[in-house]
Every structure is written in structure tokens, then in C-alpha cells.
Amino acid sequence: MTGSDGSRSGAPAGPPPALLEDVLTGDLARRVLVDQTLAMVVSDPSQPDEPVVWSNAAFTRLTGYAAHEVQGRNCRFLQTPRTDPAAVGRLRAALDAGEDHVELLLNARKDGSEFWNQLVVTHVRDDAGRVTHRVGVQVDVTARAAGEAARDVELSLARRTGERLALLAEVTDELTRHLEYEHAVDALAEVVVPRMATWGFVVVTNERGRFERLHVVSTDPGTAWAAKELAHESPEWLLQSPRLRAALESAPDAVADALPVDVDSLPSRTTPRQLELLRTLRLGSALLVPLRARSRVIGVLCLVSDRPDGFDREAVVTGAHLSSRAGVVLENVRLYLAERDAALTLQHSLLPVLGDVAGLDVAASYLPSGRRAEVGGDWFDAFALPDGAVSLAVGDVVGHDLRAAASMGQLRSLLRAAVWRGDAPGTALARLDELVRGLELADLATCVQVRWERTDAGARLTWATAGHPPGLVRLPDGEVVELTGGSTTPVGLAGPGRGSEASATFPRGATLVLYSDGLVERRDRTLRDGIAELRDALAATPSGASAEQVRDALVAGLVGRHQEDDVCLLVVRDA
């Protein structure tokens, strides 16, 4: 916004009106615009030389520059030869670091008259935390007697405004980080209470209007135990409070106001133990903020100060912003989880329940992606064939939507039917490919199909893969063998070698591992590197480990905390 030199820049054309609409949105901007005593400019740091994209009438009154004379120019045009370079340097360093800053600068009006400008610069950030614009609030503090008081007021306003914006951004970031609704509720109290109150709580209701979660936070370590015990009390006692019920039933345009609170104002049915805990936490004044979602109030954020005048007008304004922001974010978390639960229920309903599979020790896992609510197309299968052999498969339909899930169910059934009728793995995959391309059942799918036949010495495996990662076999001595050969293009994609397969005999005690690419491939690890890690992890498992133990060890070793894709894993060993 302000450069390191004192030069004046030219006046190129201003930004398009749509840019101003992006800048001047939200309750904060409207509130500032109503107060015409504050001189304000908005600049765009993404453009060369950070031009001013908007200024208000108060800025014109302060400097003499009309809006069209300001737009497109860097704010350094206000500087004079006598402007302190050190002050300009401090401002520039703070802005380069992305920090809000307050600086006193000697500036000049359009008519050349100088004035002391108390400049407050705050940053506007998008949801990803990137700076999109900077807001400069300017106050003439030349008249020292009146100027000192004005400066303190404006600095306080700018500081509180910046704090409010930072708090709202932190609330949004923290709540959306949690994939469990209860954790998001707790996070709201953990973020807001220490910034605004002595202690407080968040309580939310279910669809029937009954309280289902209460989290209490104290900023005083000495009373943290009381907050913890109060949270263990049934939240239903809060419904006895007329004030809290009023917050839950408040109109959409209602704004919470601070109110005194003491023991006498508490519900008559408050138990002696609850009264003891509340006295320990200390009472004085409270701010009841309804958590307003799209169609209803889903809970209340209660902030309590140990002083009767603990909440000023700025706190009330912040509470109004929190009311809608936190309520909508919490509702989004709840809706996401409900959608995800429904999706997972559908996904698991399409996968088999493994029981006894012809005497083999079999364990499988389907792990949904941690970053999507959609169902996926991964599947596994294991069942005994009429001739005594066992059919084993893992597949993956491209996509993460209901179509992928539906295609997965169809492909799994078709492959089952082909294998059941006696088709060998290569023939079964060839028949599946023919049906997929002829009936347009799926866009693309990968699969590995294995036939397990017991022998006197162990087992004979016959396999075919269609664009799928190769299966691995751990021998009793710890050596890991890759099931190579019998590979063709993915199902649904024409290519050579359709119907080919391979086979090998393995000793008793060997362990077969089939998996989808989500287990081994991610952004920081290639497919080949992931398969190498899987080989090492499989080799490290004990020789006598059960299929379930091997499965758990592989999941623990290869699935990260932030899983990017669905994972299917099938482990089979001769029991």
C-alpha cells in the first residue's frame, strides 16, 4: 500500500466494478461504510504497485482527492519529502510479513497542506488464508489535544475489527478441520471462550430440540476442574433457564445483548452441586449467542465474565457475527457427516461379509477416504467355488460417486457369475470386459482375480490382472513374491492380451495380499514406491501371524492420517 520511497505515481484506470463488489461485501464493510467519519481506502496487493481500488467520501474530505483521482494509484502519493523513511520502512516490513500495522505518517492533502496521519492497515484474507486486499483507515491527528483521543478511539476500533476478523477466520478454520461433530462443537468453545470471556460453554441440540452436547471451558487453570465437572452434568438442566430458551427461540434478526448474571438469576431447579460449580467459575455478566444455522437455531454459545460490565458493544457485535458464522459451519459439519455415514452404509452393503471361506484364514478391510463424503468403487470378494477352489478378487471402479458404487456392485456380481460357472481368472476378466464395453456398465475399472486351489504341499494360485496393482505372496521364510504375468489393460479399455493368466505353486503357510491402489499410492509416494514399501512391510510380519494380524500391520504401516483415496485390502493364508 505504501512504498519505501516518496515518489508520486500516475493515475491509471481504476478496477472494474465487480472487484469492488468482491471487496465491499459482508456486515463488516457495511458497518464501516455507514460511519462516514472514517477515511478508508482499499488496495489490491495482487496487482503491480498495489493500487487503490476504492476510497470513501471521508477520505475525500480528509485529503481533497476524489475517488477517481485515487483509484489505480499507490497510496504513497500522500507522502511528502518530509515523511519519515523509517516509518515507511516499518509499515512496508509489516505488510510484507502479512501483519496488520499501525503507523504515524506525515502526509499531504491535495492542496499541499500537511497533516499527521494515523494509518491503520488490516488484511482481508480468503478461506485459504491468502491476502486478497488491504484496508487502510486514516485519522487526522494533527490537533494534539483532540487528536490523541481520536487516535486512541480509531486505533481501538481498527484493532478490535482486526481481532474480530481474525477470530471469525480462526473459528471457521478450526471447525472445518474436524470430521467429528462433537469435536467441532468442542473446538468452538476452545477457540472463542479464551478470547472473549472468563469462562463459557457451547451447547447444541438435536433435531428434536433436546441438548445432546455440552462443552465448558474456563480460562483460569485454577477453575478448569469445575468446568470439566459442570460439563459432565446433564445439559438438560440448562433448559430450565428462560434466557437460554429465549436464545434458542430467537428470531433470525435478533441480536444477543449482554446481561447481568448472578446466583439469584439462575433457574430455581439448579442443584446445589451445580450452584457450587458456578460460584467457583464466577458469575458477573453473560452474553448468550444463538448458533443460527440455515433453518433453525442449533445451539447456544454462552460467554460469561466475572465482571458485571464484562461485555461492551464490540463484544456484542462480535457475538452477532459468531451467531451465523459458527452456526452455519457446525451445520455443514453435521450435514457432511450425515451424508458420509449414509454413503458408507451404502458402500458396506455392497461388500461381502466374510465368514468361513473353505477353511482359509481370510481378513479384509475397506477404508473410505478421509476427505470425501462420496461412495467409492473399490471392492473385494472371497468365496468357495463348487469344485472346492476359492475365488479371490479386489477391484476398483474409477470414480467417487453413486455411479461408481452402482457399477462396482454390477461388476462384482458379473465377475462372481463368470467364476462360479467355471471360467478361469483370465477368461472371467475377458468376459467381464466384454460385458462392460458392450453394455456401458462403467467408464473404467481395474481388477485382480485369483483362483486358490489347495495341494498336498500348499496351494496353487492362478491369477489375472486388468490394470490393477500386482498381488503379493509372503513365503514362510519371509521372502515376498510379486504375482507378475497375466496382465492386461483395465476393464472397459480395449487392449492386447485379454484372457491371459499366470499360475504358480506356493508352500503351506504362504500369505496372499490383494489390494487397491489407495493403499500404496498417494501424492508423496509413487505407485512403484508404495508397492516396495508394502513388500517390506509384508516381509516384516511374523511367519505365524494370522490374516487379521497381517492386515492390521499393513494398514498401520501404509495408510496415512490424511488418507487421500479409498483402500481395499484382502489377506488370505492357509489356516
Side-chain angles (χ1 to χ4, degrees), residues 474-503:
R474 185 193 186 282
L475 303 180
D477 62 2
E479 180 186 357
V480 175
V481 178
E482 189 172 300
L483 299 185
T484 58
S487 300
T488 62
T489 55
V491 174
L493 182 64
R498 190 68 69 189
S500 63
E501 58 187 39
S503 62

Side-chain angles (χ1 to χ4, degrees), residues 86-391:
V88 175
R90 289 193 297 271
L91 175 61
R92 173 48 57 194
L95 299 188
D96 289 344
E99 300 171 352
D100 296 348
H101 190 70
V102 179
E103 194 62 55
L104 183 63
L105 297 171
L106 182 62
N107 285 162
R109 300 181 178 88
K110 184 178 180 180
D111 61 10
S113 59
E114 295 181 341
F115 69 102
W116 284 100
N117 182 7
Q118 188 74 62
L119 175 63
V120 181
V121 182
T122 58
H123 293 73
V124 179
R125 302 177 186 272
D126 60 17
D127 292 341
R130 294 183 294 267
V131 175
T132 61
H133 297 85
R134 293 191 179 109
V135 179
V137 180
Q138 300 164 31
V139 180
D140 182 357
V141 293
T142 305
R144 282 302 181 187
E148 288 296 330
R151 180 181 63 181
D152 291 344
V153 170
E154 302 306 336
L155 287 177
S156 176
L157 174 61
R159 177 180 57 80
R160 297 292 293 274
T161 297
E163 291 173 353
R164 184 194 310 157
L165 288 172
L167 177 60
L168 293 174
E170 186 176 350
V171 165
T172 301
D173 291 344
E174 188 62 30
L175 267 59
T176 55
R177 186 176 293 122
H178 294 279
L179 292 180
E180 296 296 335
Y181 183 65
E182 293 80 4
H183 296 166
V185 171
D186 294 354
L188 176 58
E190 298 286 351
V191 171
V192 176
V193 171
R195 302 272 285 271
M196 296 186 65
T198 304
W199 67 279
F201 62 83
V202 172
V203 61
V204 292
T205 61
N206 57 25
E207 288 76 5
R208 297 183 299 277
R210 297 185 66 84
F211 289 127
E212 64 177 0
R213 182 73 177 181
L214 170 66
H215 187 62
V216 187
V217 173
S218 174
T219 58
D220 180 2
T223 61
W225 66 269
K228 186 175 182 180
E229 288 198 24
L230 187 63
H232 288 161
E233 295 282 320
S234 171
E236 291 301 317
W237 69 277
L238 293 170
L239 282 176
Q240 303 167 22
S241 169
R243 292 169 173 173
L244 195 139
R245 286 202 305 271
L248 286 172
E249 299 167 0
S250 60
D253 58 348
V255 177
D257 201 0
L259 49 89
V261 58
D262 53 25
V263 172
D264 294 336
S265 67
L266 298 175
S268 58
R269 294 173 60 186
T270 305
T271 66
R273 180 55 178 165
Q274 292 164 352
L275 286 175
E276 178 186 353
L277 295 173
L278 292 170
R279 287 194 183 98
T280 300
L281 291 167
R282 301 189 301 275
L283 302 173
S285 56
L287 186 64
L288 291 173
V289 179
L291 299 176
R292 201 175 306 283
R294 293 170 179 82
S295 59
R296 67 184 181 94
V297 176
I298 62 173
V300 174
L301 165 65
C302 179
L303 303 172
V304 182
S305 172
D306 57 3
R307 296 182 290 108
D309 57 349
F311 301 99
D312 57 13
R313 180 175 177 276
E314 182 64 27
V316 173
V317 172
T318 300
H321 283 271
L322 283 168
S323 176
S324 57
R325 175 75 67 91
V328 169
V329 174
L330 281 178
E331 184 184 44
N332 287 344
V333 173
R334 172 181 275 173
L335 291 175
Y336 168 82
L337 292 173
E339 181 182 356
R340 192 168 190 267
D341 288 345
L344 292 181
T345 299
L346 173 61
Q347 178 76 24
H348 284 294
S349 70
L350 298 172
L351 296 174
V353 177
L354 296 179
D356 178 67
V357 184
L360 294 179
D361 182 10
V362 181
S365 280
Y366 168 74
L367 304 174
S369 166
R371 64 190 180 110
R372 294 187 179 95
E374 298 92 341
V375 290
D378 292 29
W379 89 88
F380 62 85
D381 208 356
F383 60 95
L385 295 169
D387 61 2
V390 174
S391 174

Side-chain angles (χ1 to χ4, degrees), residues 7-71:
S7 62
R8 299 168 182 259
S9 61
L19 181 57
L20 299 186
E21 293 176 4
D22 293 339
V23 176
L24 304 177
T25 55
D27 290 341
L28 172 61
R30 287 193 291 272
R31 288 177 57 80
V32 174
L33 286 176
V34 168
D35 185 358
Q36 292 296 312
T37 64
L38 290 176
M40 289 183 57
V41 295
V42 177
S43 66
D44 184 354
S46 68
Q47 298 188 40
D49 204 31
E50 190 171 348
V52 172
V53 296
W54 176 85
S55 63
N56 65 356
F59 182 85
T60 300
R61 291 195 297 269
L62 174 63
T63 66
Y65 289 94
H68 71 274
E69 297 175 299
V70 175
Q71 290 183 18

